[in-house]
Amino acid sequence: MGRPRRDPRGLINGILYVLTTGCTWHDVPEKYGTKSTVPRYHLELCEKRVYQAIFLNLLQSGYEIRKVDLTHCSTDTKDIPAKKGDQPVMMAIKR
């Protein structure tokens, strides 16, 4: 049973607060949640790969409405890990 869960919107706002201000998790204002709840929710979203799903969905939507054009894009290959035949994450999107 335990305590009821916090409002996810407030927790996400707390995560965005940390990302935009650069403060530590300890300095998150209490209106977003406690100093342990907000980072715990962030780790939960990371473990469930929610951020990756959001990014891939936004990227796919950008391709569909022709707002993303990677024809003039380059990357350094040392930033892309290749794990013995695994398909790279970005290759999961088909144009």
Side-chain angles (χ1 to χ4, degrees):
M1 293 298 195
R3 292 185 292 207
R5 288 183 64 95
R6 292 282 306 212
D7 177 31
R9 179 176 288 189
L11 296 172
I12 290 173
N13 285 337
I15 293 168
L16 292 175
Y17 179 84
V18 170
L19 294 175
T20 55
T21 63
C23 72
T24 64
W25 293 112
H26 183 74
D27 296 329
V28 174
E30 227 174 276
K31 67 180 181 179
Y32 299 124
T34 64
K35 60 185 176 187
S36 61
T37 303
V38 176
R40 190 176 332 123
Y41 190 68
H42 168 67
L43 290 175
E44 182 180 329
L45 294 178
C46 288
E47 289 171 358
K48 292 181 178 180
R49 306 183 121 209
V50 172
Y51 296 127
Q52 184 178 13
I54 291 171
F55 174 74
L56 292 175
N57 192 348
L58 287 172
L59 189 59
Q60 182 65 39
S61 298
Y63 285 137
E64 289 172 1
I65 62 173
R66 299 193 180 277
K67 292 287 184 183
V68 174
D69 180 19
L70 299 179
T71 56
H72 301 291
C73 180
S74 64
T75 185
D76 188 356
T77 56
K78 69 181 178 186
D79 294 332
I80 303 172
K83 309 267 184 183
K84 296 191 179 194
D86 282 353
Q87 184 179 16
V89 174
M90 298 310 296
M91 296 302 290
I93 298 175
K94 295 182 176 136
R95 291 192 227 170

